[in-house]
Amino acid sequence: IEVADIIGGGGGGVGYRGGVRVRAPLMSNLAVGRKFRRKGIAEDLVVAAEELARKQWGFDSCYLYVEKKNTAAIKLYRKLGYKKTWEDPNATTLLPAESGGIQNSQTTLVCMKKRLTGVGAILDRLNPF
């Protein structure tokens, strides 16, 4: 987790010029090894990051980036109260290449937000979609 400038809104993605710039905690690249999945580790990591953002850094919301094709992660984030704010169909990600190196690959990046405090957080939990 880091505090970063999140730019987006109105259907735009990263760098969307018509969007709003928000300085907020941002999670990305959260990963759990295959043999450790389905044990609650990812949920524990997200909750710990949210607590850090709220209790130690004083933020009332948290953002995350996830690839649209990672449906299991999106399902978890929705369960935890995150809502999609925008997606960027022109994003890139790094993948292993057959040569042993790494290469850029096209992906769709989804930005999700969760309100951590206040009435908005309560309302979001009552309406997770």
Side-chain angles (χ1 to χ4, degrees):
I1 186 168
E2 65 175 319
V3 177
D5 287 331
I6 297 136
I7 304 170
V14 175
Y16 176 71
R17 300 199 191 290
V20 177
R21 180 182 299 264
V22 178
R23 187 118 179 113
L26 171 67
M27 284 183 273
S28 64
N29 302 316
L30 177 66
V32 175
R34 290 186 199 279
K35 70 179 188 176
F36 299 103
R37 293 181 188 165
R38 313 245 352 124
K39 299 181 187 312
I41 295 171
E43 185 170 342
D44 290 346
L45 287 170
V46 172
V47 169
E50 291 171 355
E51 287 182 10
L52 174 70
R54 184 173 50 84
K55 291 180 181 176
Q56 294 185 26
W57 296 350
F59 286 94
D60 62 0
S61 61
C62 195
Y63 290 78
L64 61 82
Y65 290 158
V66 60
E67 288 187 61
K68 187 173 185 175
K69 66 184 176 184
N70 191 345
T71 56
I74 290 172
K75 183 178 177 182
L76 169 67
Y77 299 143
R78 282 190 176 142
K79 174 186 144 192
L80 294 175
Y82 284 83
K83 295 186 176 191
K84 181 175 89 169
T85 59
W86 52 260
E87 59 182 62
D88 180 0
N90 300 312
T92 58
T93 188
L94 296 175
L95 294 175
E98 288 185 28
S99 65
I102 55 173
Q103 63 185 19
N104 276 320
S105 179
Q106 184 79 24
T107 192
T108 298
L109 190 66
V110 177
C111 179
M112 301 180 84
K113 175 186 177 183
K114 178 179 178 180
R115 292 185 277 191
L116 303 174
T117 61
V119 174
I122 295 167
L123 293 174
D124 284 349
R125 282 194 289 276
L126 293 174
N127 181 19
F129 303 101

